[in-house]
Amino acid sequence: MSTGSSTSRSCRPRVDEVLADRAVGLAMTVADALGYVGVLAVEMFVVDGDDGPELLVNEIAPRPHNSGHWTLDGSRTDQFTQQVRAGCGLALGDTSMTAGGVAMVNLLGDLWEGGEPDWSTVLAEPRAQLHLYGKRTARPGRKMGHLTVVDDDAGAAEVIALRLRETVRRACRAGVNQARLTPTSRPIPQVTAQATITMRA
């Protein structure tokens, strides 16, 4: 049985407040039914129902999850620290945001098609943080990292994050196309390779 909880409400999908509150309530119900202690990600779909939008639980992840990685840069207590605090029976940390808006975009293996991407544009943006997971092989669709943008305005953070990822993608595609046209270039490597809830006991 949980005696305390902390919900991350800052990176919600674009749904109205009533539906967002229902999603948090549903995630809390799942956590309570499991008697769960720790960080629990509950992925839901919004579908059309007879009486309006309905929520369907698609997946639960009883651990820190990719959907909460934004907390590393955008929350006073990140999901990894929160997991340790919950598991040790400590008071949960403050989950308030460090700014008015946070946007996170995944970096998939497709970006590595022509080798290591050029991260200079991302690293030059002071509001952005680059997180690479150190995976040895990339393949299309594989999560290789993410970038987070923190800004006072949530809309601006999202625009910047998407622009940065697209800039890296375009540079990678241009590099791949250039490498294919340059006979002396090195061979192109073959590419082989949501509500977050924290419950405390």
Side-chain angles (χ1 to χ4, degrees), residues 91-111:
L92 297 177
D94 177 5
T95 59
S96 62
M97 293 178 60
T98 59
V102 179
M104 183 192 97
V105 294
N106 287 315
L107 302 171
L108 304 180
D110 313 66
L111 292 176

Side-chain angles (χ1 to χ4, degrees), residues 6-66:
S6 172
T7 57
S8 300
R9 297 174 170 252
S10 50
C11 286
R12 291 180 167 189
R14 291 186 190 105
V15 295
D16 67 62
E17 201 62 29
V18 172
L19 190 59
D21 286 341
R22 282 179 42 208
V24 170
L26 181 55
M28 296 289 291
T29 299
V30 169
D32 284 339
L34 294 172
Y36 190 73
V37 173
V39 173
L40 176 70
V42 181
E43 180 182 86
M44 299 176 207
F45 292 126
V46 178
V47 297
D48 291 328
D50 294 338
D51 298 321
E54 292 184 11
L55 296 167
L56 298 177
V57 174
N58 179 57
E59 175 186 21
I60 61 172
R63 56 179 164 68
H65 188 263
N66 178 263

Side-chain angles (χ1 to χ4, degrees), residues 154-165:
E158 181 180 11
V159 167
I160 294 165
L162 292 170
R163 177 182 51 81
L164 288 170
R165 183 176 60 186

Side-chain angles (χ1 to χ4, degrees), residues 124-157:
E125 171 55 63
R127 293 166 288 188
Q129 293 293 321
L130 177 64
H131 298 271
L132 300 176
Y133 304 155
K135 296 178 180 177
R136 301 187 101 175
T137 54
R139 63 178 173 266
R142 185 178 194 196
K143 291 176 187 163
M144 301 293 290
H146 71 274
L147 76 91
T148 308
V149 174
V150 178
D151 191 84
D152 288 334
D153 179 81

